[in-house]
Amino acid sequence: MIRFWLSVTLVTVAASAASMEESTTLALPIGALNDQDKQHFKEIFSSFKKDSIKEAHYAHIGGSVFDFNSLEGVSCDTLKTYFDSSDLEMQYYALSAARGVKSCIPKISQSSLLGEALKGERLTIDQLYYIVASASFASSPIDKAEVLKLLNKFAAKETSPSGLSAILATVALVKGATDMELEAFSPLVKKIAEQADEADGIILFFERGAYTTAFAIESIFQYSTAVKKAPALTERQIIKFYNFLYARRRAHQIRTSARLASAFKVLSTNSFMNPVAVYGATASECAGVSGILVTSSRLLHLRLFDILGNQLDANVTVQAGSLVPVAESAIPVGRVGELKRFKEMFEVDLAKVGALPRGHYNLELTVTQKEKKLAGLSKAMIPLRVVSPVKINKVHLKVQDSSKTLFDSALKYPEKTEVRMQHSA
């Protein structure tokens, strides 16, 4: 048996990854959907039980996020049997699913039944949502005054995040309501947000999990769209809610997956605040997780993605401010300036600010896009991991078989050394 011992002293080695303590204070988006994530969603939305109207509903709302029609094989005739059902939940699912079936028009032939359902003594907020949503799907008239009266009644007593979210989702669907009537429900946004739990400094969520959290975010932004005002949430809160949802993106239940997909879409496309994930040159470098790698070339490369994984480039300006070492009372190294577009990335030479020793740094970054409000990217602190080339010094090579030492000597890098070994038959 031949044994090799190689003793190498490494000088000026690459910097290690940022510590968990550092990364947890950033509250930056921890990622954007990639091709594998999207494929996972498509598999969930295409493998549902075709005879389940409820699952067809979720497959439609989830698949539509990715422009994917998964309702091939769903019978419109089966859906029609529930269009006038007294079961409000099944009626809602059937009318919703019909929107995704070719030539299947959601229609309620007896719209007066919805008005009668509004008068139910034990009507719940979920049932009220089903009624108003069904009327919206089928373009059926409904008593606006009665709906608002019921919504105000529920708003006065409801406390749970799911119930409050259902109220906002319903309000967003009320047609013909005045601004004053809609704005009366704005305090509910704060009531919902106050009940969120925080973990690790980078996520916010509700105790009932991903479905409730996704529905809350979706409902809040749908309501904000209806009142044409930004939600009473900070950018940091939005990013933390998103981080929780992103971490659950590989859910396997179609109900949860559909709600997650809908929340991702509303966060990506709303007119108020859109979280953006900052990546380096490779997919493994995310500012919200490990930081961005800066090699010995000292060229910084950044890529920006919206939540749905679309790379941002058009009408985007990336401006870098101070570059600050991660150390107590650290003095900024200098100001970096604008990053220029280069081969589908934004690039800047950090060497221009002066000598940059290896280590951890924070770079102040502001990203703007015309007609968009990018959440969390106004003077955001982006973590950088600056590394230096590996230098090899004092190399010693020892080669030994089971009985004797064949070679034992110091080597001069990068010179070559020949070691002759004999093998017995």
Side-chain angles (χ1 to χ4, degrees), residues 162-178:
S162 57
L164 293 170
S165 298
I167 294 172
L168 291 182
T170 307
V171 172
L173 293 173
V174 177
K175 296 180 180 179
T178 66

Side-chain angles (χ1 to χ4, degrees), residues 317-328:
T317 300
V318 182
Q319 189 74 30
S322 298
L323 180 63
V324 186
V326 177
E328 188 174 351

Side-chain angles (χ1 to χ4, degrees), residues 376-394:
L377 286 180
S378 177
K379 295 185 177 181
M381 300 307 291
I382 303 299
L384 305 182
R385 296 178 291 125
V386 177
V387 299
S388 295
V390 173
K391 294 182 179 180
I392 300 177
N393 187 29
K394 297 181 181 179

Side-chain angles (χ1 to χ4, degrees), residues 66-277:
F66 304 102
D67 297 322
F68 173 65
N69 184 4
S70 59
L71 299 193
E72 295 289 341
V74 174
S75 169
C76 182
D77 290 337
T78 300
L79 297 177
K80 285 180 179 179
T81 61
Y82 290 93
F83 284 0
D84 291 295
S85 174
S86 59
D87 185 329
L88 298 175
E89 184 176 8
M90 290 304 298
Q91 180 187 43
Y92 161 74
Y93 290 141
L95 290 167
S96 172
R99 298 174 298 164
V101 177
K102 187 177 181 180
S103 301
C104 192
I105 302 174
K107 184 178 180 181
I108 299 175
S109 59
Q110 302 180 54
S111 58
S112 60
L113 295 178
L114 294 179
E116 294 176 10
L118 290 176
K119 300 175 183 178
E121 293 183 2
R122 297 183 179 181
L123 188 72
T124 66
I125 180 55
D126 288 335
Q127 290 173 328
L128 179 57
Y129 172 73
Y130 296 147
I131 293 170
V132 177
S134 293
S136 178
F137 296 152
S139 299
S140 294
I142 195 168
D143 190 336
K144 181 198 75 171
E146 183 63 24
V147 170
L148 289 173
K149 178 182 176 181
L150 289 168
L151 283 169
N152 278 290
K153 178 181 176 181
F154 282 118
K157 64 180 182 180
E158 186 61 64
T159 59
S160 71
S162 57
L164 293 170
S165 298
I167 294 172
L168 291 182
T170 307
V171 172
L173 293 173
V174 177
K175 296 180 180 179
T178 66
D179 291 343
M180 183 177 295
E181 289 171 333
L182 294 176
E183 289 178 9
F185 298 92
S186 60
L188 301 190
V189 175
K190 184 177 180 181
K191 287 184 178 180
I192 294 173
E194 287 175 342
Q195 298 184 59
D197 295 316
E198 184 168 4
D200 299 330
I202 61 171
I203 66 172
L204 284 173
F205 64 99
F206 298 106
E207 63 179 17
R208 293 185 66 181
Y211 182 92
T212 299
T213 305
F215 184 47
I217 293 302
E218 183 182 5
S219 300
I220 287 171
F221 276 96
Q222 287 174 339
Y223 169 74
S224 296
T225 299
V227 297
K228 301 179 178 64
K229 289 185 178 181
L233 296 174
T234 66
E235 293 183 29
R236 183 173 290 270
Q237 284 177 311
I238 291 171
I239 291 171
K240 289 181 179 181
F241 276 123
Y242 166 68
N243 284 344
F244 175 77
L245 299 178
Y246 176 79
R248 270 82 183 158
R249 66 195 182 281
R250 294 296 181 94
H252 289 280
Q253 290 187 345
I254 190 170
R255 176 176 178 267
T256 302
S257 293
R259 194 56 70 192
L260 285 169
S262 293
F264 290 150
K265 182 175 182 178
V266 77
L267 283 172
S268 181
T269 60
N270 75 83
S271 302
F272 308 109
M273 287 179 276
N274 312 111
V276 172

Side-chain angles (χ1 to χ4, degrees), residues 350-369:
L350 295 180
K352 293 181 179 179
V353 303
L356 201 61
R358 67 182 179 89
H360 298 291
Y361 295 79
N362 283 325
L363 176 64
E364 183 184 87
L365 195 73
T366 296
V367 181
T368 56
Q369 184 178 24

